[in-house]
Amino acid sequence: MVKVRGKRGYMRIGIVGFGFIGRHLYQRLMQGGEPGLSVAFVWNRSPGKVAGVPLGLILRDLAEAAAKRADLIVEVAHPAVTRAHGADFVAAADYLVTSVTALADDALRGKLVETALARKHRLFVPHGALVGLDTLVEQRHRLAEVTITFRKHPKNLDFAESGIDPEIVKGPTVLYDGPARGIAPMFPRNINTMITCALATVGLDKCRAVLIADPALDKAYAEIEARGHDGSRIATWNEQPATGVSGNDMLASIIGSVRAAVGRPPGMAFV
């Protein structure tokens, strides 16, 4: 059941980014698909993409987000948004970060958590394609090592910041194999779930991230293997069609995270 906020009787959601996921979230809220939730504002870097959104809901400048009095701001744009505006967002409202690679910056993450606690707000990290997040969080103190592996078609990867020429991918190609922290700046739009996994388990420097591009694939695959100090093992496998740089299940995943963001105590939480 949705917890009401203030005297308005519903939660107001600010949507930062109006691509595949942002548009879906907006449409679902506007169509009444999530009773108790409404749209406070919509922002997009390219104003032309928000054509059709009522003018009163369009935010032109992210610096003015606080004036829209959202209860929860949902970022579905790019990690640069959190770097530039995240502290202001979480000072004004609860904040759900989908571009989780921004949180690989320890100083930035620390500032956001500190601000959230000071303002009695919540900083939310969505589960994304991370199957079994609750179990991993519950068992994190027992884990000795964690490996998360992504396998994707190169067309579903954004190579722009990787320094890698996609033309080298002729068959299954390991693009990265190392600590999760290192891959964050290389593929900021593709590996958010890897960073979530690292933050939820053994940390950015101990969690091993493996990214494999394979032109023979017609789906995206995410595999997690976590081993405990006592010899225990947790393994998950997620297979899904991909649209752009996101898997199709991200639509339902984000809606689920928004629902789960209700009624949590101040600070950082995984949803």
Side-chain angles (χ1 to χ4, degrees):
M1 180 176 181
V2 174
K3 177 182 177 182
V4 299
R5 300 290 295 266
K7 296 181 179 179
R8 293 189 294 269
Y10 50 82
M11 285 186 66
R12 290 164 50 82
I13 312 297
I15 302 172
V16 178
F18 208 60
F20 179 61
I21 297 173
R23 183 179 295 275
H24 175 80
L25 177 59
Y26 167 80
Q27 292 173 342
R28 185 161 179 83
L29 296 182
M30 292 296 286
Q31 292 166 2
E34 296 298 323
L37 305 181
S38 68
V39 177
F41 69 81
V42 172
W43 174 90
N44 193 69
R45 182 177 61 178
S46 302
K49 287 193 174 182
V50 296
V53 174
L55 291 178
L57 294 180
I58 296 175
L59 179 67
R60 303 295 182 185
D61 186 348
L62 285 177
E64 300 174 359
K68 290 292 189 177
R69 299 180 61 202
D71 296 304
L72 173 68
I73 297 174
V74 180
E75 174 275 316
V76 281
H78 189 276
V81 169
T82 295
R83 291 193 287 267
H85 301 280
D88 291 333
F89 288 169
V90 81
D94 293 342
Y95 183 36
L96 193 155
V97 185
T98 71
S99 300
V100 186
T101 50
L103 302 184
D105 182 329
D106 294 339
L108 174 60
R109 188 176 71 257
K111 180 179 181 180
L112 296 180
V113 172
E114 180 181 359
T115 303
L117 289 169
R119 297 300 182 94
K120 293 183 169 53
H121 288 151
R122 284 74 61 89
L123 173 67
F124 293 115
V125 181
H127 61 280
L130 186 56
V131 176
L133 174 61
D134 289 346
T135 299
L136 290 170
V137 172
E138 290 168 359
Q139 300 296 321
R140 64 195 302 180
H141 64 286
R142 299 174 54 196
L143 299 178
E145 57 185 51
V146 176
T147 297
I148 178 167
T149 303
F150 277 8
R151 293 178 174 84
K152 293 187 174 187
H153 192 288
K155 71 179 181 182
N156 297 126
L157 293 170
D158 183 352
F159 287 82
E161 299 177 60
S162 68
I164 299 173
D165 183 354
E167 294 300 320
I168 70 169
V169 182
K170 305 300 183 183
T173 304
V174 177
L175 301 178
Y176 183 87
D177 185 345
R181 188 187 298 276
I183 197 174
M186 296 175 63
F187 292 91
R189 299 181 63 211
N190 298 111
I191 52 84
N192 292 298
T193 298
M194 288 182 167
I195 303 303
T196 299
C197 180
L199 292 174
T201 57
V202 294
L204 293 161
D205 297 310
K206 290 183 65 178
C207 180
R208 178 187 175 198
V210 182
L211 178 62
I212 300 171
D214 186 347
L217 297 179
D218 60 358
K219 294 181 181 178
Y221 300 86
E223 180 181 1
I224 298 168
E225 182 169 5
R227 294 187 177 274
H229 294 284
D230 58 358
S232 60
R233 177 174 177 265
I234 301 170
T236 66
W237 173 270
N238 188 5
E239 172 185 332
Q240 58 176 296
T243 300
V245 296
S246 299
N248 284 356
D249 70 346
M250 280 300 294
L251 302 178
S253 171
I254 292 301
I255 292 292
S257 292
V258 170
R259 292 195 202 107
V262 178
R264 298 296 183 101
M268 190 173 89
F270 298 93
V271 290

